[in-house]
């Protein structure tokens, strides 16, 4: 058992690379990727993924009345190709912003590492989805393909799909290790990607068999939720850690900390101190009127 961040422990399914979860963790969360510094934002992302999967499966099963596996795999592949294009473009745009406040040459190592993770993820998508598609086509032509082939399809297909799901979870958390470049890059990239995936459906009017109101809500639900969580995460990074998106990764501002309240005392507005002109106080002058004097 190996201790994980935030005090949790990793199970054998996470530590063994023979399990899909362990293999996905080893490939898409290498040791050089820093752990998150905001557990609350991580929990919100996890809840968003679960809610999105439930909503997507519910729409396909109960509204569209059919789960088109090939269409889902095609959408996943398109999403991977979009990530392959939009991630370098967004990071390149931010490098132009950061060079105004610091050198970008110091970011070369995390940039190359993030690029390797991105290429590995897209390659895994292409290979696994391609193999599954070819195996399904072969099975349809040959009436099942025999017992050994059926066993391969059952075991290999399930392992591959779980691996892709776990890889998507890891990538959603660290967004190809871009947190090693700048802590605000993962929420920024998630926002840009979610809107780019939603806009084509809105522009083409593809409402997935739903009505106008339900279709627009279904399409905009993901990017609006991602944008809200990303804004919340970047706001917490700015307030608690002094990390700003437009600032160079090696430049931090002072976190917003409320000033300490001064202690109560005489002359500082203390509610229990002797008020001015009190004839019974220690600061009473010689001319103060003493009711018990002569």
């Amino acid at each position: 058992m190996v201790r994980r961040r935030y005090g949790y422990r990793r199970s054998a399914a996470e530590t063994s690379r023979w399990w899909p979860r362990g293999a996905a963790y080893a490939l898409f969360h290498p040791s050089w990727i820093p752990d998150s510094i905001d557990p609350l934002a991580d929990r919100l992302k996890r809840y968003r993924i679960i809610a999105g999967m439930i909503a997507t499966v519910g729409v396909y099963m109960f509204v569209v009345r059919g789960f088109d596996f090939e269409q889902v795999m095609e959408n996943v592949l398109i999403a991977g190709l979009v990530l392959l294009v939009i991630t370098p473009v967004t990071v390149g745009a931010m490098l132009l912003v950061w060079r105004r406040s610091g050198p970008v040459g110091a970011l070369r190592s995390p940039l190359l590492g993030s690029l390797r993770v991105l290429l590995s993820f897209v390659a895994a998508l292409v290979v696994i989805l391609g193999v599954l598609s070819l195996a399904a086509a072969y099975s349809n032509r040959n009436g099942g393909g025999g017992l050994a082939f059926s066993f391969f399809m059952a075991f290999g297909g399930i392992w591959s799909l779980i691996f892709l799901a776990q890889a998507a979870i890891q990538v959603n958390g660290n967004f190809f290790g871009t947190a090693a470049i700048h802590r605000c890059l993962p929420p920024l990239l998630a926002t840009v990607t979610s809107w780019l995936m939603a806009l084509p459906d809105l522009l083409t009017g593809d409402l997935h068999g739903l009505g106008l109101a339900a279709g627009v809500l279904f399409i905009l639900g993901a990017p609006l939720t991602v944008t809200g969580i990303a804004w919340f995460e970047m706001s917490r990074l700015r307030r608690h850690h002094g990390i700003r998106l437009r600032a160079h990764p090696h430049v931090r501002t002072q976190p917003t900390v409320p000033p300490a309240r001064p202690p109560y005392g005489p002359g500082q507005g203390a509610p229990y101190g002797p008020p001015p002109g009190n004839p019974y106080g220690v600061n009473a002058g010689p001319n103060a009127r003493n009711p018990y004097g002569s």
Side-chain angles (χ1 to χ4, degrees):
M1 304 290 286
V2 181
R3 183 168 293 278
R4 196 181 182 183
R5 60 185 183 273
Y6 312 141
Y8 296 100
R9 291 181 179 272
R10 295 175 57 195
S11 62
E14 294 177 287
T15 56
S16 175
R17 298 190 180 186
W18 292 101
W19 291 82
R21 190 174 184 180
Y25 190 90
L27 285 175
F28 303 114
H29 199 291
S31 58
W32 56 266
I33 296 180
D35 290 332
S36 173
I37 56 177
D38 193 349
L40 178 58
D42 281 356
R43 286 196 296 269
L44 291 177
K45 293 177 187 177
R46 202 171 297 117
Y47 296 152
R48 176 183 60 80
I49 293 176
I50 296 174
M53 293 177 63
I54 293 175
T56 302
V57 173
V59 166
Y60 276 105
M61 296 300 295
F62 301 105
V63 179
V64 184
R65 299 293 182 181
F67 192 85
D68 192 346
F69 181 78
E70 293 184 358
Q71 183 180 359
V72 173
M73 293 297 102
E74 181 180 351
N75 292 337
V76 172
L77 183 59
I78 293 175
L81 296 178
V82 169
L83 289 173
L84 183 61
V85 175
I86 197 60
T87 301
V89 172
T90 305
V91 174
M94 293 309 303
L95 288 176
L96 295 177
V97 175
W98 296 331
R99 66 182 301 179
R100 302 173 184 174
S101 55
V104 297
L107 306 177
R108 183 177 304 171
S109 179
L111 282 170
L112 294 178
S114 178
L115 181 60
R116 286 195 297 269
V117 175
L118 172 62
L119 294 177
S120 300
F121 181 75
V122 176
L125 279 179
V126 173
V127 171
I128 291 177
L129 297 182
V131 170
L132 291 179
S133 299
L134 292 176
Y138 176 81
S139 177
N140 293 333
R141 287 199 307 267
N142 296 275
L147 181 61
F149 185 80
S150 300
F151 175 79
F152 168 77
M153 283 290 293
F155 178 78
I158 293 175
W159 193 98
S160 300
L161 293 179
I162 296 176
F163 171 79
L164 287 181
Q166 292 296 326
I169 292 175
Q170 296 299 331
V171 166
N172 179 79
N174 58 54
F175 224 95
F176 311 110
T178 50
I181 305 172
H182 196 292
R183 288 287 186 176
C184 290
L185 267 182
L188 173 65
L189 289 169
T191 301
V192 173
T193 304
S194 62
W195 279 105
L196 286 179
M197 294 299 296
L199 286 179
D201 289 339
L202 287 177
L203 295 177
T204 59
D206 184 8
L207 301 179
H208 304 280
L210 302 172
L212 179 61
V216 172
L217 180 62
F218 177 74
I219 293 173
L220 292 181
L224 289 176
T225 305
V226 171
T227 303
I229 295 176
W231 179 86
F232 176 75
E233 182 179 0
M234 286 191 286
S235 176
R236 287 175 61 87
L237 288 173
R238 182 181 66 253
R239 288 187 287 111
H240 297 294
H241 304 282
I243 301 175
R244 298 178 179 272
L245 176 62
R246 296 178 61 87
H248 191 276
H250 295 168
V251 176
R252 290 192 181 187
T253 59
Q254 291 296 327
T256 304
V257 180
R261 298 181 60 182
Y264 289 125
Q268 297 183 2
Y272 307 110
N278 186 354
Y280 309 104
V282 294
N283 294 326
N287 297 324
R289 182 180 179 183
N290 188 349
Y292 303 106
S294 56

